[in-house]
Amino acid sequence: MRGLVSYSLYVFCLCLALNGARAQEPEIIIEDVLDSTEAVTEEPEPVAVVHPDFEPYSAVKAVFWEQFTEGWRDRWKASNAKKSDSEEFSYIGRWAVEEPKVFPGLNGDKGLVVKDKAAHHAITAKFAEPLDNTDQTLVVQYEVKLQNGLECGGAYLKLLTEDETLHAEEFSDKTSYQVMFGPDKCGATNKIHLIIRRKSPITGEYEEKHLIGGPRASVSKLTNLYTLLLSPDQTFEIRVNGETAYAGSLLDDTTFNPAFNPPKEIEDPEDSKPEDWVDEATIPDPNQATKPDDWDEDEPYQIPDPDTAKPEDWDESAEEFIPDPDAEKPDDWDDEEDGEWVASVIPNPECEDHGCGPWTPPTIVNPKFKGKWVQPRIENPDYKGPWKPRNIANPDYYEDAKPADLEPIGAIGFELWTMQSDILFDNIYVGHSVEEAEKIGNATYVVKIEIEEAEEKASRPKVEEPKAPLTVWEQFMQDPINFSIQQTKMFYTFFQRDPIFAVRTYPETAAALGIAIVTVLSIFFGAILTLFSSKPAPVPSKPPSETETKEETEDVAETADSTAAETTARRRTKKN
């Protein structure tokens, strides 16, 4: 029996070896690599990122241009005002001008940085001369670098109105502004704001016009370039990193809320619905005011199916579930503390082929069911439709034909609250030339972002190339016994469901088991054939006498002597 088992294992190992050799062919290895979703191309070792020295860009003819070089303290002033006259909230957030700490770009390139988180920050820089963009294009462009990301907070700027309060009071949220532009994110809200404040010539009140559905802001830790264009043709454009993200017309009533031009007509606030106005589309049918005599509200929605009979093999005397006969009361079970122990129940094995327990017929929809009676409704002959107030001329109507012509602007400011610190602003441009803003972006942002992207790439953790999957032979060599057992179990499991699939999936196991079975059968049937075809053992003859034995011995001796003599003679002849 041990020989049979050893031989079977030998055959099984031989099949695995043949399969492992086949799995190591080059074309199979190539397929494994191509089919692998985790395969990655080996990247070369990262090289050190070069950071050129920062050189100020001076060829600018702008109303305002800021790179935070020498003398920035003379241009910028942090605010210490109270927020909305509140004693509780004030602008205590600190500002600094420093180089970025995350994915730096050019050596010596500094920006204005928000230093505190969960604090209100406010800072302004006044223009040498007020900006007037009447019949001119207004271009606002600046860089934002979220070194700690942005979960909740703003990174927008404001163009402040040139008036007496701008020079007499500290900058705060109450300071009048003309445009608010830039990214803002908190929770699910993420957008680039564009808000333009316009004064009504009728009421004299300012109203904020909010862009509807602004583009999403980038919250990466790389520098992003935001550009706003307001054109004399009353169109606007928002660019992100030099690409158009949103564009439209200021005069489109569906672009801003509220629209720049109020409606010409409004509903009359003094109008009221007449007493005889009928706005009910249907009324109860007067010809069916009472419930029909044959209407039975008590009929159930479902009833037992009268056409279904209990199966003949249904056993109502047997329980569908019985206590588990193999369940035993735990040794640590305490009836006083744990209560009376009850064995768990299992499906009754006697009910595997037929139903058990009380039999109930299935239910069907009751054909007599009508439900609660409700008086039918018909179209109202007096119906006049929904009532609404009549329209009248809007007393506050005016036409703002040139909303892009803003009031004079005297300063730029950041008035922010944010949960993340180290937001950096740089290369702030306010002027009238789109071409100049594009040249600035190419000379500053484009150069900087290439270096930052290289820094980000170099900081990524190196992804190790995944190892090639082990072949069947390699898996077998690691643990032959356990591998053989597992393969056999899997083959048997699949063989019970689908024999053909099992043989196709585990051909080496099927071959080994097949050879082992054939070998066992061959040995078994060979033993049976040998047993039935064997002849009876011969009867032993009479032992020879002492004289016969002596004669046979002498004959053997003489034969031996003659043989020796012959051998010696042959050797001599060979020598001669």
Side-chain angles (χ1 to χ4, degrees):
M1 186 65 181
R2 291 181 180 177
L4 175 61
V5 174
S6 301
Y7 181 74
S8 299
L9 288 176
Y10 167 76
V11 173
F12 181 68
C13 296
L14 179 61
C15 293
L16 289 178
L18 294 175
N19 184 76
R22 185 174 65 254
Q24 294 178 3
E25 293 180 2
E27 59 176 354
I28 300 298
I29 295 176
I30 293 174
E31 288 179 0
D32 290 341
V33 173
L34 293 177
D35 292 340
S36 175
T37 56
E38 298 180 358
V40 295
T41 303
E42 184 177 356
E43 297 183 358
E45 291 295 330
V47 297
V49 180
V50 178
H51 297 268
D53 292 334
F54 165 73
E55 295 183 4
Y57 187 83
S58 57
V60 179
K61 298 179 181 178
V63 176
F64 182 81
W65 170 238
E66 180 63 81
Q67 289 191 293
F68 298 98
T69 54
E70 293 295 331
W72 69 270
R73 293 182 182 275
D74 298 331
R75 298 185 292 272
W76 292 85
K77 178 183 178 182
S79 174
N80 294 314
K82 300 294 182 182
K83 183 174 174 61
S84 299
D85 296 331
S86 172
E87 295 295 332
E88 184 177 357
F89 300 108
S90 59
Y91 297 99
I92 60 173
R94 297 171 300 157
W95 296 89
V97 171
E98 60 189 21
E99 296 185 43
K101 301 175 182 178
V102 179
F103 306 138
L106 303 172
N107 284 328
D109 187 12
K110 299 180 180 180
L112 181 66
V113 180
V114 173
K115 294 302 295 179
D116 298 306
K117 61 182 181 180
H120 295 275
H121 296 72
I123 193 169
T124 56
K126 296 179 181 179
F127 297 164
E129 295 181 0
L131 181 150
D132 184 4
N133 75 310
T134 303
D135 295 329
Q136 297 188 76
T137 299
L138 174 64
V139 182
V140 180
Q141 180 172 279
Y142 71 115
E143 296 175 358
V144 179
K145 185 176 178 65
L146 307 172
Q147 299 187 83
N148 293 325
L150 187 63
E151 296 179 2
C152 188
Y156 43 79
L157 57 75
K158 292 181 177 180
L159 300 182
L160 308 181
T161 307
E162 173 66 27
D163 58 14
E164 295 180 358
T165 59
L166 177 63
H167 303 282
E169 300 175 0
E170 292 245 38
F171 175 46
S172 70
D173 59 329
K174 297 180 67 176
T175 303
S176 177
Y177 70 91
Q178 290 296 297
V179 175
M180 190 176 100
F181 169 66
D184 186 21
K185 181 182 183 301
C186 194
T189 301
N190 181 1
K191 63 187 300 186
I192 298 175
H193 279 296
L194 174 55
I195 304 174
I196 299 176
R197 294 180 78 245
R198 296 296 283 172
K199 183 178 181 180
S200 170
I202 305 299
T203 63
E205 299 292 331
Y206 280 93
E207 195 172 43
E208 294 182 345
K209 314 291 185 177
H210 291 252
L211 175 64
I212 300 173
R216 292 177 62 85
S218 173
V219 293
S220 70
K221 297 181 180 181
L222 302 178
T223 297
N224 287 279
L225 181 68
Y226 294 97
T227 308
L228 170 65
L229 309 178
L230 292 180
S231 303
D233 61 358
Q234 309 310 309
T235 61
F236 72 95
E237 181 182 354
I238 296 175
R239 297 179 182 179
V240 178
N241 300 335
E243 301 292 334
T244 300
Y246 199 106
S249 172
L250 299 176
L251 301 178
D252 187 348
D253 293 342
T254 62
T255 304
F256 286 82
N257 183 32
F260 282 94
N261 290 315
K264 293 182 178 181
E265 292 185 343
I266 61 172
E267 294 180 348
D268 187 355
E270 299 180 358
D271 192 14
S272 60
K273 183 172 69 172
E275 295 180 358
D276 60 348
W277 189 275
V278 179
D279 53 9
E280 292 185 356
T282 62
I283 59 173
D285 187 356
N287 297 325
Q288 300 185 50
T290 59
K291 181 176 67 174
D293 296 336
D294 61 346
W295 193 286
D296 188 355
E297 295 182 344
D298 297 330
E299 284 286 346
Y301 175 69
Q302 289 184 327
I303 59 173
D305 187 356
D307 298 330
T308 304
K310 182 177 70 174
E312 295 180 357
D313 59 350
W314 192 283
D315 188 0
E316 289 190 322
S317 62
E319 295 292 338
E320 185 177 1
F321 295 92
I322 61 173
D324 186 358
D326 297 330
E328 296 182 358
K329 181 178 179 181
D331 296 337
D332 58 350
W333 187 277
D334 190 337
D335 291 340
E336 295 183 358
E337 296 183 0
D338 303 327
E340 183 181 357
W341 181 81
V342 179
S344 58
V345 296
I346 60 172
N348 191 344
E350 298 181 0
C351 303
E352 292 182 356
D353 300 330
H354 59 80
C356 295
W359 179 83
T360 56
T363 59
I364 61 173
V365 177
N366 185 1
K368 298 180 180 180
F369 173 78
K370 294 184 178 181
K372 185 175 180 59
W373 183 82
V374 178
Q375 185 178 2
R377 300 181 70 85
I378 60 173
E379 293 184 1
N380 189 352
D382 299 327
Y383 176 65
K384 295 183 179 181
W387 180 88
K388 63 177 182 179
R390 64 176 178 268
N391 288 339
I392 61 173
N394 185 0
D396 296 329
Y397 172 75
Y398 62 89
E399 183 178 4
D400 190 354
K402 295 184 177 182
D405 289 349
L406 306 176
E407 296 180 18
I409 300 170
I412 186 173
F414 293 96
E415 190 263 317
L416 308 169
W417 182 88
T418 176
M419 288 298 296
Q420 279 69 47
S421 61
D422 292 330
I423 300 175
L424 184 145
F425 305 101
D426 197 7
N427 294 324
I428 304 173
Y429 172 90
V430 180
H432 302 294
S433 175
V434 179
E435 293 76 11
E436 187 174 45
E438 291 175 347
K439 290 180 180 179
I440 290 173
N442 292 332
T444 58
Y445 168 75
V446 172
V447 176
K448 180 186 303 184
I449 194 62
E450 291 178 354
I451 302 173
E452 291 184 3
E453 289 175 346
E455 279 284 356
E456 182 193 32
K457 184 176 181 180
S459 67
R460 296 173 187 169
K462 185 178 180 181
V463 179
E464 294 184 1
E465 185 177 0
K467 297 180 180 179
L470 296 177
T471 63
V472 176
W473 176 246
E474 291 172 339
Q475 296 178 45
F476 172 76
M477 291 301 296
Q478 285 186 351
D479 190 352
I481 297 177
N482 186 56
F483 177 79
S484 303
I485 294 174
Q486 294 300 323
Q487 289 288 100
T488 305
K489 287 183 177 179
M490 294 298 296
F491 175 80
Y492 177 71
T493 301
F494 285 108
F495 188 84
Q496 288 180 309
R497 302 177 183 176
D498 189 344
I500 297 177
F501 176 79
V503 173
R504 290 179 178 176
T505 307
Y506 299 95
E508 66 282 350
T509 306
L513 292 177
I515 294 175
I517 293 173
V518 172
T519 303
V520 172
L521 292 177
S522 300
I523 296 174
F524 176 75
F525 286 109
I528 293 176
L529 293 175
T530 302
L531 179 65
F532 284 99
S533 62
S534 62
K535 297 180 179 180
V539 179
S541 58
K542 182 180 178 180
S545 59
E546 183 177 350
T547 305
E548 294 175 348
T549 303
K550 184 176 180 181
E551 292 176 356
E552 290 179 359
T553 304
E554 291 176 355
D555 292 340
V556 170
E558 291 177 1
T559 304
D561 293 338
S562 61
T563 302
E566 274 183 34
T567 304
T568 305
R570 288 176 182 173
R571 288 177 180 173
R572 291 174 180 172
T573 303
K574 188 175 182 181
K575 290 181 179 180
N576 296 332

